[in-house]
Amino acid sequence: MKQKVGMPDEEESAHIRVPFNDLATQWREIKEDVLPSILDVFERGTFSHGPEVEAFEEALARYLDAPEVVAVNSGTSALHLAFVVAGIGPGDEVIVPAHTFIATVWGLLYAGAQPVFCDVDGATGTIDVAHADMLVSARTKAIVPVHLFGQPAAMDMVIDFAARHNLTLIEDAAQAIGARWSGRCVGAIAPLGCLSFYPGKNLGAAGEGGAVIVQDAAVAARLRSLRSHGQRERYVHSELGFNYRMDGLQGLVLREKLRHLDQWSARRRELAGRYLRTLADLPLDLPAVVNHDHVWHLFVVRTPHRDRLHQYLAGHYIETGLHYPVPLHKQPCFAHLEFAARHFPRAERWASEGLSLPLFYGMTDAQLDHVAAAVHGFFRPST
Ligand SMILES: *Cc1c(COP(=O)(O)O)cnc(C)c1O
């Protein structure tokens, strides 16, 4: 029995193809409403920033119940500007999880600061504050919890940790728009939070986009200046600025999609629940939901047989993903840091054992059941 694990099962490979993601269902739901307005943008020529982006900022601030939202051209830019306005720069250290998408750390590096990698929780993959406690130095200025895969980080512990060490708290909510922690939307808990609207994110643009969520109006005004060449007044540049404006077309598409987001997240929860039920009896670590809420950006299972399961599912026309196969401390671009030689056992286990199963708005129950049956077929070959 054990030896047959991972053998292809020909009878079972019905010709259902399951892509990892498919954005077409979202498009079909907004198309009628958004197409005429897209033509208006071309007529008006409001391509860069403009009224569509401002309307989206207002709608998003209302959705998040946050005082201010500053739209930018990517989640990476949002994080960069958050570090700039937090006054974090050369000589400063920022504690970040070792298991996240690389963009969590680009922004602090652009600002001139150094990342200090921290291990993650074994059950959720979010930052492990007990480990962070051992990493604090006189140079530590900030900590970045990542609401990984759509689940809030353990914010009670993170908030307490930041307060004890007098650190700036910047939330990376790129994967978790709409997830709530203690009744509040993630990203709107700390003084600064960042979102990404990369097309594959739960709220995805028709291109790139991002936003900084801000509690303080003066900080929001500075962010608006920084994203547009450091100018508050046209052609007067009060500080080093950036061209991080959002496209008008993205503002339009995102505002339309935002109206559907809760319904789309509800379907993601339904699909995740179905996976949790259908995969429950397999020798597989299923995602743990412990921090209040989850919007299921990714559904990541873990098994020491990850690579073989990945191939087996590909052989059954099922696309899966690796998020992320190389933890940050092992990335070639950080080979010069002393962290490269250290061990972060739980981050390393997520990297080597995690496999993301397809889960997207528009996925049918039949597609999900097909994936679940194939996973069963891998662990329990019928012959
Ligand atoms: C997607 C993502 C980002 C960056 O967003 P971009 O819009 O792609 O620049 C940052 N952090 C995390 C955790 C992400 O998943």
Side-chain angles (χ1 to χ4, degrees):
M1 178 93 175
K2 201 75 194 165
Q3 276 138 310
K4 292 210 172 160
V5 164
M7 295 293 286
D9 177 349
E10 265 137 50
E11 267 150 63
E12 190 256 324
S13 68
H15 291 291
I16 305 179
R17 273 172 195 277
V18 186
F20 186 66
N21 198 354
D22 180 6
L23 301 172
T25 317
Q26 292 184 7
W27 171 240
R28 276 182 228 115
E29 286 188 15
I30 64 162
K31 193 171 165 179
E32 304 275 282
D33 291 323
V34 88
L35 268 179
S37 319
I38 288 177
L39 300 179
D40 289 346
V41 170
F42 278 84
E43 292 293 340
R44 282 201 296 267
T46 49
F47 294 118
S48 177
H49 191 70
E52 290 78 16
V53 173
E54 281 169 18
F56 170 58
E57 289 180 327
E58 276 170 34
L60 184 56
R62 262 198 312 279
Y63 175 85
L64 298 165
D65 195 17
E68 304 264 0
V69 166
V70 178
V72 291
N73 61 346
S74 75
T76 303
S77 302
L79 281 154
H80 180 194
L81 293 189
F83 288 107
V84 172
V85 296
I88 287 159
D92 296 338
E93 292 178 353
V94 179
I95 297 177
V96 292
H99 174 57
T100 177
F101 180 55
I102 188 81
T104 300
V105 296
W106 288 145
L108 69 97
L109 285 156
Y110 299 165
Q114 282 300 311
V116 172
F117 300 126
C118 178
D119 211 348
V120 295
D121 182 75
T124 63
T126 58
I127 197 159
D128 174 16
V129 175
H131 186 220
D133 253 317
M134 298 186 268
L135 301 169
V136 177
S137 80
R139 292 163 170 249
T140 312
K141 289 288 152 55
I143 179 166
V144 184
V146 178
H147 305 301
L148 196 73
F149 304 151
Q151 174 163 221
M155 288 303 286
D156 41 359
M157 290 195 267
V158 173
I159 290 166
D160 172 67
F161 173 80
R164 266 191 287 122
H165 299 286
N166 197 21
L167 306 179
T168 298
L169 183 53
I170 298 176
E171 297 176 73
D172 181 343
Q175 301 190 355
I177 187 168
R180 285 170 183 275
W181 179 86
S182 266
R184 310 209 40 199
C185 281
V186 296
I189 300 166
L192 290 161
C194 298
L195 293 171
S196 162
F197 309 118
Y198 177 78
K201 295 283 158 71
N202 288 22
L203 180 66
E208 306 280 344
V212 188
I213 306 160
V214 212
Q215 302 297 319
D216 182 282
V219 177
R222 184 161 173 227
L223 284 163
R224 294 199 164 93
S225 162
L226 285 167
R227 77 172 162 195
S228 187
H229 303 292
Q231 58 187 0
R232 285 174 200 242
E233 199 185 317
R234 203 153 199 211
Y235 303 131
V236 181
H237 308 278
S238 46
E239 62 177 319
L240 175 69
F242 305 90
N243 179 357
Y244 282 174
R245 289 175 304 241
M246 176 179 275
D247 290 347
L249 288 170
Q250 303 312 339
L252 187 68
V253 168
L254 288 166
R255 185 169 156 225
E256 195 55 46
K257 283 193 172 181
L258 181 61
R259 303 199 300 119
H260 298 257
L261 183 64
D262 282 342
Q263 183 220 327
W264 293 351
S265 299
R267 176 59 181 156
R268 284 179 177 274
R269 287 195 184 95
E270 220 171 75
L271 289 163
R274 197 174 177 91
Y275 266 137
L276 292 172
R277 285 192 303 278
T278 52
L279 301 176
D281 54 346
L282 292 176
L284 189 69
D285 275 4
L286 295 174
V289 185
V290 298
N291 298 327
H292 299 227
D293 194 13
H294 206 317
V295 290
W296 299 102
H297 175 56
L298 294 169
F299 189 93
V300 181
V301 298
R302 281 176 301 163
T303 164
H305 307 295
R306 190 272 307 276
D307 292 335
R308 280 197 299 129
L309 179 58
H310 185 54
Q311 278 167 20
Y312 177 88
L313 293 175
H316 287 70
Y317 309 103
I318 294 163
E319 251 184 79
T320 55
L322 306 182
H323 301 95
Y324 299 90
V326 182
L328 296 193
H329 62 290
K330 298 283 184 205
Q331 292 292 345
C333 61
F334 299 132
H336 62 288
L337 298 179
E338 51 118 5
F339 288 104
R342 284 211 208 156
H343 272 308
F344 297 86
R346 293 182 302 275
E348 285 160 27
R349 180 167 168 240
W350 278 97
S352 64
E353 299 192 355
L355 184 70
S356 309
L357 301 183
L359 191 161
F360 53 90
Y361 181 71
M363 186 180 194
T364 63
D365 288 351
Q367 283 178 313
L368 186 144
D369 292 345
H370 180 70
V371 177
V375 176
H376 274 268
F378 174 82
F379 286 104
R380 296 187 180 154
S382 47
T383 46

